[in-house]
Amino acid sequence: KKILIVCGGLLSAVLLMNFVVMPWYVRHDTLVKVPSVVGLSFEDAKKKLDEAGLEGLQGDIRYDPSKPIGTVVDQNPPVDQVVKDGRRIYLIISGGEQLYDVPNLVGRTLREAKFVLNQRNLEVQEVEYKQSVQYPTGIVLTQIESPGSKVKKGTKIGVIVSTGMESGDIKVPDLIGKNVEEAKKLLAANKLSLGKINYQPSVNVPLNAVIDQYPKFNTMAKENQRIDLF
């Protein structure tokens, strides 16, 4: 019985050596030439490397407007280098064209707005100058592109700059939540005029409802002054 146990153990050891250890050892020392995967999508590159006995891993992201997002733009180790089977190949992936966040410029001086935009590779575009009872002369009172939106390098961000204004004796009514017709009537009742209507998407209020106004509620205005609606 002991002899059978010993023979069984030896047989198991031989089988383990022949079918597990040796194949792993031989494969581990196998040398492979790294194929080129530049220009392929990340998934296709991983598949090609896997077929060659290598492991593809995502490395850094490189912004390149000439290459589609997700395309391999470089690899390490490079093509044709001889490496061990199973070696990890790090793939540099294109992030496409880099986009920049638009900062909030409202309340800043025009000089500050230019500086903040230049730091983000953006430019300022003085769209309009406008009287304001809320902001003094030279202060950005509104901007065309919303803060937080993403734009391309060199995009000009339009701003409206305050020229200041003497306050009047009419208190601007609260128009938020009212529809355009209601806002018109309320403005007329307060001897004010309807200014520009700027339409913006919103999921929180009904269609044609006012979501903002300029000048703001409770500021002072002159007779027939125009009140812009958003």
Side-chain angles (χ1 to χ4, degrees), residues 28-74:
H28 184 71
D29 281 353
T30 300
L31 297 179
V32 178
K33 184 180 288 188
V34 178
S36 174
V37 293
V38 173
L40 300 179
S41 69
F42 178 65
E43 292 302 323
D44 288 344
K46 282 189 65 177
K47 183 177 179 181
K48 186 173 181 178
L49 290 172
D50 185 61
E51 292 172 349
L54 302 169
E55 181 182 4
L57 296 176
Q58 181 175 327
D60 294 334
I61 292 178
R62 181 182 300 168
Y63 291 104
D64 188 340
S66 66
K67 301 292 189 302
I69 295 175
T71 302
V72 177
V73 295
D74 202 357

Side-chain angles (χ1 to χ4, degrees), residues 105 107-119 139:
L105 305 175
R108 299 178 184 270
T109 65
L110 185 57
R111 182 177 181 180
E112 287 173 336
K114 289 179 178 179
F115 177 75
V116 170
L117 290 174
N118 287 338
Q119 286 185 314
I139 301 297

Side-chain angles (χ1 to χ4, degrees), residues 65-124:
S66 66
K67 301 292 189 302
I69 295 175
T71 302
V72 177
V73 295
D74 202 357
Q75 62 184 79
N76 184 34
V79 60
D80 288 340
Q81 182 168 322
V82 177
V83 298
K84 288 185 178 181
D85 185 82
R87 172 74 181 268
R88 291 177 175 178
I89 310 298
Y90 292 92
L91 307 176
I92 310 300
I93 308 300
S94 171
E97 184 169 5
Q98 186 170 6
L99 298 178
Y100 297 85
D101 291 332
V102 176
N104 185 9
L105 305 175
V106 175
R108 299 178 184 270
T109 65
L110 185 57
R111 182 177 181 180
E112 287 173 336
K114 289 179 178 179
F115 177 75
V116 170
L117 290 174
N118 287 338
Q119 286 185 314
R120 292 166 170 78
N121 294 303
L122 304 174
E123 300 177 29
V124 69

